[in-house]
Amino acid sequence: MAIRRRYIIFALVALVLIAAGSFHWPVTHLPLTQQLVGRIGEATGLAIRVERASLRLLPTPRIKMSRVSLDAHPDAAPETALLSAREVRVGLGLLPLLLGRAEPVSITLVNPNIRWFGPEQPRQLWTLARRHLTALIEARNMEGEPAPGDTTIPHHVQVLAQSLPGRLVISEGAVLYRNGNRRLLHRLNATVDWPSTGRPLDLAASALWRGEPVDLRIEKLRPASLAAGFDSPLALRLSARPATFSFIGRISADEVPELSGDMSFRTSSLRQTAAWLRTPLAFADAVGPVTLKGGVSLSGQGLSVPDARIDAGGGVLEGALSARIADNGRMRVSATLDAATLDFNRFLAADRRIGPARPPGGVSEWSRAPLVRRPGEADFPRNDLDIRLSVARAAIGPLLLSDVAAGILTSGGRLEIALNQAKLDDGLVRGRLQLLPEQDDLSAQLTGTIDGVDARKTLRSLTSAPLISGRAGGQVTLRGNGNSLNAIMRNLAGVVSARITDGELSAVDLNNVVERMEQRPLATALDWRGGRTPFDTIDATLKIERGSGELEGELRAGNGLYGVMSGVIDIAHRTLALRALAMTSEPNADAAGSQGSDGESPAAFPIEIEGSWDYPVVTPDIRSLIERSSAAVPLAPAHTPASSRPDAP
């Protein structure tokens, strides 16, 4: 019976101890709590306010504090504090607690709200923490020997670090903007592990930012080394569905920390990433997947990647890249990049706003997709961009350029693409395209020149059957405005001039055609194709106004052959209505005055070019040939005056 009674007593005592250990004992005003609050404030350098606190011993000792706020100002209200939490759970070491000391082992923040006061906040917090550590060390005047096995961390820093908890957990937190009216981060969960001074700090966090889940991982960071004034290793990885970023290198202990190491950035869609970051990029739709790798240096002066490697799908670019914040607050990005080959068609094909579109079963028309997505907002960054490109071989449409020197410049929303020089089929090409958003529209201006280009090679790339050869040169000056490529073409205005020298026309011998036409006009019209026509020069000028161009052109050959072409090229609707005349000699005033009494003009073979750009129709002007042929006069429509017709019965 005595043994049974003893067991019952032990059981009752155990139940009492368990009940006592599971009970939340109020400890708000006890020295233990004040000591713990002082430890946290001393470690963070922030003033901490606690509404109430309770102690629970089981299953492990911990203090639960309710309505906690931390801020640099002791009088800050919880609603405006840097950090406020509904509940903070502090795990305590058992042995120090039995000895009457409160040493935190872990801290868990439940539903904390962290306020974001602007892009300068990280630098301010870093400076505050650095100054606090320095002042704390000086106040304690701790000067010890380095710990065994780690000669980079002084002993006094290790003592300070050992007073901090080994784990910090954030559960279902949020980052609020300033007054708390807007949330920047939702569902913030994080775990920070720092078991001891000699071991690195690890952070794993996840949150919801702008509708996308984001994961952050930080490894190898040694805060004690930073507190001692030494550099620390750092491995960082930020991943989300639109993009991923990773960094491996070192971080300095300077007042403005500097990162140096290797970085990698990858996005499956630059358009989605730009939209997610709310950073408009010029023609981001056309780029697609992008990968950026290289050694990086990040400091207060900006970002520098001296050995950047960019894979944009259409080619690999290598060179130097830098970014910095200018005095006016805008970011300025500069890059000098080289590429062996670059296929611009990979970019252009992905953007349906550029180039013609062909409806099923119809002819091509200019794209009606809006270039400015929302009223007053264009796809051009308000930041400054200066990119210099040097490409050995570049493909644009069916054309192949070599030794390309180009530049892309943006400033204040204005986009400029400059082709400083490129070789095309043994000649040179230069051009400049300027785009400027104007309210809901886009203003575009294009200027360019070509010199010494082999016309046959270029036309062979553009068409299956090149009809002209020779050395081509010319100039173009165009301007237009609108919210789509179709609208810009409808408002297009400017001048295009071209000259081709020492060439020939293929598939027609105009000298032979004109000679035969003088004797047999209709027979010549049925058999006019075949042969070649050498020429000295072809000059053409196209004057464009509101999307419609008036063409005037001349052909001259050494044997006296002369040709003219005139008509309308409708750029907006992509149609042609042209008429050409081929003559044995150039008409002049004397020849015009010596015409016969029958009023016949000098021999000229007429050609008409009509239809769409996709399916032009080239035929002789049969009516003019019928009028010239005396044998075919009965085939011509009769024009009987109305006065000579008999009256109707």
Side-chain angles (χ1 to χ4, degrees):
M1 294 294 294
I3 296 177
R4 182 180 299 177
R5 187 181 298 112
R6 189 179 306 167
Y7 284 155
I8 293 175
I9 293 174
F10 284 162
L12 291 176
V13 172
L15 289 175
V16 171
L17 292 177
I18 292 175
S22 302
F23 185 75
H24 291 274
W25 300 93
V27 293
T28 305
H29 302 291
L30 292 183
L32 182 70
T33 304
Q34 301 303 320
Q35 182 185 7
L36 180 62
V37 170
R39 281 284 186 97
I40 296 176
E42 185 181 53
T44 60
L46 300 174
I48 179 172
R49 298 177 60 179
V50 179
E51 185 173 296
R52 60 180 180 272
S54 61
L55 172 65
R56 183 177 180 178
L57 299 176
L58 295 179
T60 57
R62 67 178 182 180
I63 289 182
K64 183 177 73 172
M65 296 182 288
S66 302
R67 294 187 58 82
V68 180
S69 62
L70 286 90
D71 196 86
H73 304 285
D75 300 330
E79 294 77 12
T80 60
L82 176 64
L83 184 147
S84 60
R86 179 178 61 85
E87 181 180 305
V88 176
R89 302 169 186 168
V90 182
L92 302 175
L94 179 58
L95 182 59
L97 183 63
L98 295 177
L99 298 177
R101 300 195 311 269
E103 291 190 4
V105 176
S106 65
I107 296 179
T108 300
L109 307 179
V110 181
N111 300 131
N113 289 327
I114 305 171
R115 279 173 173 77
W116 176 263
F117 295 96
E120 292 295 324
Q121 184 170 344
R123 178 182 296 184
Q124 294 172 356
L125 291 177
W126 172 271
T127 303
L128 177 65
R130 188 173 180 275
R131 290 177 180 175
H132 168 67
L133 280 174
T134 303
L136 187 61
I137 293 172
E138 291 178 354
R140 292 187 173 186
N141 194 23
M142 290 194 260
E143 295 183 358
E145 296 298 328
D150 194 344
T151 59
T152 63
I153 306 174
H155 179 65
H156 62 271
V157 177
Q158 297 190 37
V159 172
L160 176 63
Q162 290 172 358
S163 67
L164 300 176
R167 167 168 286 198
L168 172 65
V169 178
I170 297 176
S171 177
E172 294 297 323
V175 177
L176 310 179
Y177 186 74
R178 294 185 181 275
N179 55 9
N181 293 335
R182 182 161 59 94
R183 290 193 176 191
L184 300 181
L185 289 180
H186 305 258
R187 293 162 50 187
L188 173 61
N189 294 278
T191 301
V192 182
D193 287 318
W194 191 23
S196 64
T197 305
R199 298 180 63 181
L201 179 147
D202 292 336
L203 180 147
S206 63
L208 195 66
W209 185 51
R210 295 178 179 174
E212 294 288 347
V214 180
D215 294 323
L216 173 64
R217 188 67 188 265
I218 295 178
E219 299 175 325
K220 301 181 180 181
L221 180 64
R222 296 181 177 270
S225 296
L226 296 175
F230 298 97
D231 293 353
S232 167
L234 175 63
L236 181 149
R237 179 177 176 83
L238 183 68
S239 59
R241 186 180 62 85
T244 60
F245 173 82
S246 62
F247 170 84
I248 298 178
R250 304 189 68 83
I251 178 173
S252 70
D254 300 332
E255 184 171 351
V256 179
E258 180 177 346
L259 297 175
S260 58
D262 296 324
M263 63 154 288
S264 175
F265 170 82
R266 175 175 174 77
T267 174
S268 58
S269 172
L270 188 61
R271 180 187 64 82
Q272 293 181 3
T273 302
W276 181 52
L277 298 177
R278 297 176 183 173
T279 304
L281 295 177
F283 298 104
D285 289 353
V287 178
V290 173
T291 300
L292 170 62
K293 296 181 179 180
V296 62
S297 175
L298 177 62
S299 64
Q301 302 298 322
L303 172 73
S304 175
V305 187
D307 57 347
R309 178 184 174 89
I310 303 174
D311 187 348
V316 177
L317 298 167
E318 296 180 339
L321 175 69
S322 64
R324 64 179 181 86
I325 304 297
D327 296 337
N328 55 11
R330 292 205 301 261
M331 178 179 291
R332 179 174 179 82
V333 179
S334 303
T336 302
L337 303 172
D338 300 332
T341 60
L342 192 61
D343 187 1
F344 287 98
N345 298 319
R346 294 286 298 273
F347 310 142
L348 301 178
D351 198 335
R352 297 182 178 179
R353 299 173 295 171
I354 305 174
R358 178 173 296 180
V363 297
S364 300
E365 64 177 12
W366 300 111
S367 173
R368 298 178 182 270
L371 296 172
V372 181
R373 298 187 182 278
R374 290 183 294 273
E377 180 177 348
D379 288 331
F380 309 113
R382 296 299 175 183
N383 299 319
D384 297 337
L385 182 68
D386 186 0
I387 298 179
R388 309 296 173 91
L389 295 175
S390 179
V391 185
R393 294 170 65 87
I396 303 179
L399 301 179
L400 185 62
L401 306 179
S402 61
D403 298 337
V404 178
I408 302 175
L409 179 67
T410 66
S411 179
R414 179 179 180 178
L415 171 65
E416 180 177 311
I417 302 175
L419 182 61
N420 299 321
Q421 181 171 302
K423 293 182 180 179
L424 172 63
D425 297 330
D426 304 327
L428 296 179
V429 180
R430 298 179 179 87
R432 188 177 302 272
L433 174 64
Q434 296 177 335
L435 301 174
L436 179 65
E438 294 181 350
Q439 297 182 354
D440 298 346
D441 290 341
L442 192 66
S443 175
Q445 183 171 343
L446 174 67
T447 59
T449 62
I450 61 173
D451 183 24
V453 173
D454 189 325
R456 179 175 294 276
K457 291 182 179 180
T458 304
L459 291 176
R460 183 181 291 114
S461 301
L462 297 173
T463 64
S464 58
L467 300 179
I468 302 178
S469 67
R471 291 293 173 180
Q475 297 180 344
V476 56
T477 302
L478 300 174
R479 62 186 182 278
N481 66 287
N483 193 23
S484 67
L485 196 59
N486 187 286
I488 291 177
M489 292 303 173
R490 291 176 181 272
N491 296 320
L492 195 66
V495 177
V496 179
S497 61
R499 163 171 279 202
I500 303 177
T501 61
D502 300 327
E504 64 179 16
L505 299 177
S506 301
V508 61
D509 185 349
L510 292 179
N511 292 288
N512 179 265
V513 168
V514 174
E515 291 177 358
R516 290 190 294 115
M517 185 270 303
E518 293 180 354
Q519 304 298 326
R520 301 166 58 189
L522 291 181
T524 303
L526 299 176
D527 182 22
W528 65 285
R529 297 180 183 272
R532 298 179 181 274
T533 304
F535 63 84
D536 293 337
T537 60
I538 291 181
D539 292 289
T541 301
L542 180 65
K543 297 181 180 180
I544 306 170
E545 191 67 34
R546 300 193 63 82
S548 180
E550 293 285 344
L551 178 68
E552 296 290 341
E554 292 183 333
L555 178 148
R556 290 183 172 85
N559 58 4
L561 180 68
Y562 177 76
V564 295
M565 177 179 289
S566 62
V568 176
I569 299 180
D570 194 332
I571 298 175
H573 299 92
R574 299 173 60 85
T575 60
L576 302 169
L578 303 175
R579 178 180 172 84
L581 294 175
M583 315 172 197
T584 55
S585 62
E586 181 177 356
N588 50 51
D590 295 338
S594 63
Q595 291 179 359
S597 58
D598 55 0
E600 291 185 0
S601 60
F605 184 73
I607 301 174
E608 293 181 337
I609 305 174
E610 297 180 337
S612 68
W613 291 11
D614 299 310
Y615 309 107
V617 178
V618 182
T619 60
D621 185 353
I622 301 300
R623 176 177 291 277
S624 297
L625 294 176
I626 289 176
E627 293 176 353
R628 175 172 294 277
S629 175
S630 59
V633 170
L635 299 177
H639 298 279
T640 306
S643 58
S644 63
R645 289 187 298 219
D647 295 335

